[in-house]
Amino acid sequence: MEITLGTVLAFLGAALAVIFPGIGSGIGVGWVGQAASGVVTEDPDKFGQTLLLQALPGTQGIYGFLSAFMIMLKIGVLGGKLVPLPWHTGMLFFLAALPVAMNCWWTAYAQAKTSMACVNIAAKRPEEIGKALTFPAMVETYAVLSFLASLLLIFGIPVE
Amino acid sequence: MTLADMRFAHAVARIRVLEQRLLDRGRLERLLEAADAGEVLHLLAETEYGAAAAAVKGGQDYEHALAAELQRVYALVKSFSPEPRLLEAWAARHTFHNLKAVLKAALRGEAAEEGTLSPLGAMDRGRLEAVAAEAVGEGAARPGQAAAPVAVSLPTVPAGPPQVRVGGTVGERVAGPEVEGYVTRAAKTAVAAYRSFGGPEEIDQAVDRAYQEYLLALARVPGAEFLRGWVERWTDLANLRTFLRFALAGRDAGTLLRALLPGGAVPVERLVEAYESAPAPRARLEALQVLAARTPYGGLVSEGISRFEAEGLLHGFERLMDLYLLDYLRRAKRETFGLAPVWAYLMAKEQEVRLLRLILVGKSAGLSPERLRERMSDVYA
């Protein structure tokens, strides 16, 4: 099996797509979890509402993983037939992974902070939870856009 | 917002739920309309005060029940706060209050009456009595020998770095100043002031100043910006009230100087200058209005003096002070992280207990709802 510089760069891209959004989501879900546990300690009935808010910053990690999965699929990691990529093709995979890696990392933080603020809405005005979910959902838009951009870029890279 | 503020995520969310259990204006109105104290307690049984109301024996023992409720809330909030040391400022007020009572009793050669001590202090009675005994014994004037005089100077904010370890990084707890050191120093200063100038109010002033120094040291800890703002406003308002009281009583500027607290936005020297600029009480109030007009307290002082002139009492001014501080605390409602919501909740709870005490005492004394309403300030919830 030949390991080329291109293959290494593609692996690096896949790794970044998992690492950064994963860190952002992990920390974000942890933060919101702390806030949610505060509410549930005093009012266990709010578990469902707060769980929903806690889950939101976790999506970035999923987007990162899916992007990495697509890279792995394209370069033959999953099929067991690793394609020896020229350096420039590997670089394209690396660059294609950047939108999801960077955007999802930071949007996970931003979404976690918004979700924490909305946990307080769930605590004080549970009837307004629908509106509260809108705010962190707005942040999701930009995570989704970067995920789509990365996916389209990955799909567009020709691998022979 | 800092990463250190994020440590309050759990505490703030929990506070938001607890805030829902504060008494709102509507419920307080129902309490006001109650026929007597017994009915007030009956109505309170449906609220967070259920256990406290049930513990009241004979319909008169609300002081203990309300103090127990405050103690419960303080212990609860402290248990889940990532910075319990910052909340000790709240209990410290009661500690210094107890110190005053114990010191005055010690100087009379007696033990403090149980009713004069707050159960909410951070130091127990035995420790406070030991501190007081040491202070009284140390500074005692021997026969034929006068006690060492106390120098009077402008009160100042303690210079130099705070006596605290600088924290504020994620996961690190902030160590604030130790209250016991301030209490020990306060006892010695208060006894010296008492022996130099005479009068129990000298003890009050010296202890208040020590409490103030403790608060200022605590408020300089990173992450305590909201507390710093509260201390500054509280200091200014306390000084304005002292100015008014002293002006109305025709006291001299030297006495005022000893009673003013450092650390406010309005410098103590400006207050003393204004006081000295006019000899008569009425002129002193005008001088205060002129001084306050250049500060954020201009409207409050004008309105407060108008109310005083209309009512002949300082209650109106004190209600305005409460409202001013309450407005500041309400800013915490917009804060998602940090100490602000936690501190504001504690203060709101204390204010609520104060209002309940007023209602219960008023109902026991047969005051009408209208008379009680006049004395009541707004609520946080």
Side-chain angles (χ1 to χ4, degrees):
Chain A
M1 187 176 62
E2 189 186 353
I3 306 292
T4 62
L5 177 60
T7 308
V8 171
L9 286 169
F11 265 72
L12 188 60
L16 291 182
V18 174
I19 291 170
F20 286 111
I23 290 172
S25 283
I27 292 175
V29 168
W31 280 346
V32 185
Q34 285 181 44
S37 69
V39 172
V40 173
T41 304
E42 295 296 333
D43 188 353
D45 292 343
K46 303 248 168 69
F47 174 72
Q49 294 176 344
T50 53
L51 184 67
L52 206 56
L53 286 162
Q54 190 191 7
L56 282 173
T59 53
Q60 281 84 343
I62 297 170
Y63 300 154
F65 172 74
L66 287 176
S67 302
F69 186 81
M70 294 316 297
I71 293 174
M72 288 187 252
L73 206 61
K74 290 272 289 186
I75 65 173
V77 173
L78 296 178
K81 286 185 178 175
L82 193 61
V83 182
L85 300 172
W87 76 268
H88 52 269
T89 305
M91 179 58 86
L92 288 178
F93 276 113
F94 176 77
L95 292 174
L98 284 183
V100 78
M102 294 295 126
N103 256 25
C104 283
W105 181 24
W106 285 103
T107 53
Y109 284 140
Q111 198 170 37
K113 288 176 190 170
T114 319
S115 291
M116 284 165 78
C118 292
V119 164
N120 294 336
I121 298 181
K124 294 200 90 163
R125 293 182 182 274
E127 69 279 7
E128 304 291 355
I129 190 66
K131 290 175 189 166
L133 279 168
T134 313
F135 300 126
M138 296 295 285
V139 185
E140 189 76 11
T141 312
Y142 303 95
V144 171
L145 289 179
S146 63
F147 173 51
L148 282 176
S150 284
L151 271 191
L152 292 172
L153 287 168
I154 292 164
F155 284 143
I157 298 169
V159 179
E160 292 167 4
Chain B
M1 188 197 69
T2 64
L3 279 177
D5 287 338
M6 298 298 277
R7 284 176 299 157
F8 282 87
H10 174 91
V12 171
R14 210 159 160 182
I15 287 290
R16 295 302 180 210
V17 180
L18 293 175
E19 278 176 1
Q20 292 298 94
R21 298 174 192 162
L22 288 171
L23 303 178
D24 58 18
R25 192 80 219 176
R27 200 176 278 270
L28 276 176
E29 280 296 326
R30 284 203 291 282
L31 295 178
L32 273 176
E33 296 298 333
D36 52 31
E39 194 181 332
V40 172
L41 290 171
H42 180 69
L43 289 170
L44 282 176
E46 302 160 7
T47 70
E48 204 180 20
Y49 292 87
V56 176
K57 292 176 186 128
Q60 296 294 322
D61 191 27
Y62 14 85
E63 278 301 334
H64 284 102
L66 292 176
E69 172 65 8
L70 268 182
Q71 207 159 16
R72 180 192 71 78
V73 167
Y74 174 62
L76 174 70
V77 174
K78 206 175 162 189
S79 72
F80 62 69
S81 170
E83 297 294 1
R85 180 53 62 85
L86 293 178
L87 299 181
E88 284 174 10
W90 184 84
R93 184 136 54 102
H94 300 277
T95 309
F96 282 95
H97 164 84
N98 288 348
L99 176 67
K100 288 178 192 175
V102 168
L103 269 177
K104 286 174 190 173
L107 284 165
R108 290 194 306 267
E110 300 167 3
E113 285 176 35
E114 196 57 49
T116 59
L117 298 178
S118 164
L120 302 169
M123 285 172 69
D124 62 38
R125 181 187 181 133
R127 183 77 197 106
L128 280 176
E129 282 177 341
V131 167
E134 191 186 333
V136 171
E138 245 181 43
R142 289 174 185 81
Q145 182 186 348
V150 171
V152 179
S153 58
L154 281 174
T156 53
V157 178
Q163 300 160 5
V164 295
R165 178 170 56 82
V166 175
T169 52
V170 180
E172 186 186 0
R173 282 193 168 183
V174 172
E178 293 290 344
V179 72
E180 194 156 340
Y182 284 84
V183 165
T184 309
R185 281 197 297 279
K188 290 174 182 168
T189 315
V191 170
Y194 175 78
R195 289 191 169 133
S196 290
F197 302 106
E201 70 172 17
E202 296 294 339
I203 291 173
D204 292 342
Q205 290 167 7
V207 173
D208 284 346
R209 190 170 302 177
Y211 171 55
Q212 179 73 1
E213 283 169 8
Y214 165 77
L215 275 184
L216 289 171
L218 197 64
R220 282 187 289 156
V221 165
E225 289 76 16
F226 187 81
L227 179 62
R228 203 173 306 153
W230 183 86
V231 171
E232 184 181 287
R233 284 160 182 79
W234 179 81
T235 307
D236 282 329
L237 294 171
N239 282 344
L240 291 172
R241 183 177 49 194
T242 304
F243 187 110
L244 267 177
R245 281 189 174 154
F246 277 52
L248 296 170
R251 312 280 297 272
D252 64 88
T255 323
L256 177 72
L257 184 59
R258 291 201 300 281
L260 293 176
L261 300 170
V266 184
V268 167
E269 50 268 45
R270 298 266 301 281
L271 285 165
V272 174
E273 274 169 30
Y275 198 83
E276 285 175 327
S277 69
R282 178 67 224 167
R284 280 177 171 162
L285 296 190
E286 282 170 11
L288 180 64
Q289 273 179 292
V290 172
L291 172 65
R294 297 194 295 271
T295 71
Y297 310 101
L300 183 148
V301 169
S302 298
E303 174 73 16
I305 290 175
S306 303
R307 288 196 188 185
F308 169 75
E309 285 170 345
E311 299 165 3
L313 294 167
L314 280 175
H315 290 311
F317 185 79
E318 282 164 355
R319 273 186 67 187
L320 289 172
M321 282 174 54
D322 284 347
L323 284 174
Y324 191 91
L325 279 177
L326 199 59
D327 275 346
Y328 178 71
L329 290 179
R330 280 182 177 139
R331 291 185 195 180
K333 287 187 174 184
R334 300 192 295 270
E335 300 278 341
T336 311
F337 315 104
L339 174 71
V342 183
W343 179 256
Y345 172 74
L346 264 185
M347 298 306 292
K349 188 74 189 181
E350 190 171 38
Q351 164 79 350
E352 183 179 278
V353 164
R354 231 178 359 246
L355 292 176
L356 285 179
R357 187 181 295 122
L358 179 71
I359 292 174
L360 284 164
V361 172
K363 290 290 171 192
S364 300
L367 293 183
S368 67
E370 291 70 32
R371 287 286 304 280
L372 284 172
R373 210 171 275 118
E374 283 169 16
R375 301 282 182 90
M376 284 176 62
S377 53
D378 209 353
V379 287
Y380 178 80

